Amino acid sequence: MADELQILYEDNHIIVVMKPQNVACCPDETGDANLLDMVKSYVKETYAKPGNAYIGLVHRLDRPTGGVMVFAKTSKAAARLSAQMPSGEFEKRYLAVLCGAPKMKTGKIESYLKKNSINNMVYVCTQAEEGARYAALEYSILQEDRGLALAEIRLLTGRTHQIRVQTASVNCPVYGDMRYGGAKAVKGNLALWAYSLRFSHPVTHEKMRFICMPPEDSMPWSLFDCETVVPENR
């Protein structure tokens, strides 16, 4: 699997890769091939490292979500990247195709979310409920076509399934989301993609940005011109 790795950037401290959709970012109960082990295998084979190669998992993407991820090659780099998250210096932006568009073309969705660990589902709840966690995101509708909308989304908090639950809560679920989409769900690959990643290099402190666009030849991404309409590329 290591030979299938799509590397966007690499140095002695970090490695930035494209996570394919429907591949887990780290080992889970399924035992399926996962991106963390693929990166470890690549480093071990490429640099002939004896034993286990250290690769630090800095952040996560859900299995159905594709896009750009950074892994740390040293524990120091992992700690320094993780330390950037509370301040927002470590920033992920997503593209999503929504079934329908919110009334406002740009806006903020705020709610409280609660996870049911038994069925791994997340629900909108009241602030007073036990286990409730505040969640917020900002969105901008970039294009619309055939009842679908291409949205850019910036997470202000990092909650499980946050984008999927919060967009569904305003009756605009993510295309392909059979779990949270309800009556508006459209069957297909989940159209959620982490396209932009910004952070400061953990050693040089250089401001870094990596962009990886979703597959333009597959539905529903093929309906939109992601390369030209996303703010990062204007």
Side-chain angles (χ1 to χ4, degrees):
M1 293 292 288
D3 57 350
E4 300 174 15
L5 204 60
Q6 184 174 332
I7 299 172
L8 306 178
Y9 175 85
E10 181 184 7
D11 63 23
N12 290 334
H13 311 284
I14 61 174
I15 180 168
V16 181
V17 302
M18 189 278 285
K19 176 191 170 302
Q21 287 187 283
N22 302 314
V23 172
C25 65
C26 57
D28 61 18
E29 65 279 359
T30 67
D32 293 342
N34 66 87
L35 194 59
L36 178 62
D37 286 344
M38 290 168 64
V39 174
K40 285 183 178 180
S41 294
Y42 160 77
V43 170
K44 183 177 174 62
E45 294 168 9
T46 303
Y47 302 103
K49 287 184 174 291
N52 289 325
Y54 175 86
I55 296 294
L57 181 68
V58 177
H59 62 114
R60 297 172 185 263
L61 292 175
D62 290 342
R63 181 189 284 251
T65 305
V68 59
M69 288 189 69
V70 59
F71 292 87
K73 295 173 77 172
T74 68
S75 57
K76 181 182 291 186
R80 289 179 177 178
L81 287 172
S82 297
Q84 296 178 31
M85 293 183 185
S87 67
E89 189 176 4
F90 189 101
E91 181 196 69
K92 291 185 288 184
R93 289 182 182 256
Y94 294 78
L95 289 175
V97 177
L98 307 181
C99 298
K103 292 180 180 179
M104 303 294 292
K105 298 305 180 187
T106 61
K108 184 177 183 180
I109 303 176
E110 297 177 278
S111 55
Y112 284 86
L113 304 181
K114 180 178 181 178
K115 183 178 180 180
N116 183 329
S117 57
I118 296 176
N119 62 7
N120 197 34
M121 292 279 286
V122 178
Y123 304 91
V124 175
C125 64
T126 65
Q127 181 178 359
E129 289 187 53
E130 183 179 355
R133 302 186 72 187
Y134 174 74
L137 61 79
E138 293 177 339
Y139 70 87
S140 178
I141 302 300
L142 306 177
Q143 278 187 329
E144 295 183 56
D145 192 320
R146 306 178 203 182
L148 302 176
L150 176 67
E152 185 204 33
I153 296 172
R154 182 168 77 94
L155 288 178
L156 304 179
T157 56
R159 309 299 183 211
T160 302
H161 299 172
Q162 181 179 336
I163 293 175
R164 298 166 64 183
V165 176
Q166 289 195 297
T167 55
S169 74
V170 295
N171 201 32
C172 299
V174 177
Y175 181 102
D177 194 351
M178 307 307 290
R179 174 175 286 199
Y180 296 107
K184 293 187 73 172
V186 177
K187 194 171 183 179
N189 281 332
L190 187 73
L192 182 60
W193 191 269
Y195 85 96
S196 173
L197 185 61
R198 294 178 187 266
F199 56 85
S200 293
H201 192 280
V203 175
T204 68
H205 307 298
E206 175 189 358
K207 301 293 184 184
M208 309 192 82
R209 181 189 71 175
F210 299 95
I211 290 177
C212 179
M213 288 296 170
E216 60 182 14
D217 58 348
S218 64
M219 277 289 290
W221 302 110
S222 57
L223 298 177
F224 303 99
D225 190 6
C226 298
E227 290 284 352
T228 59
V229 299
V230 296
E232 298 283 354
N233 283 355
R234 288 178 184 169

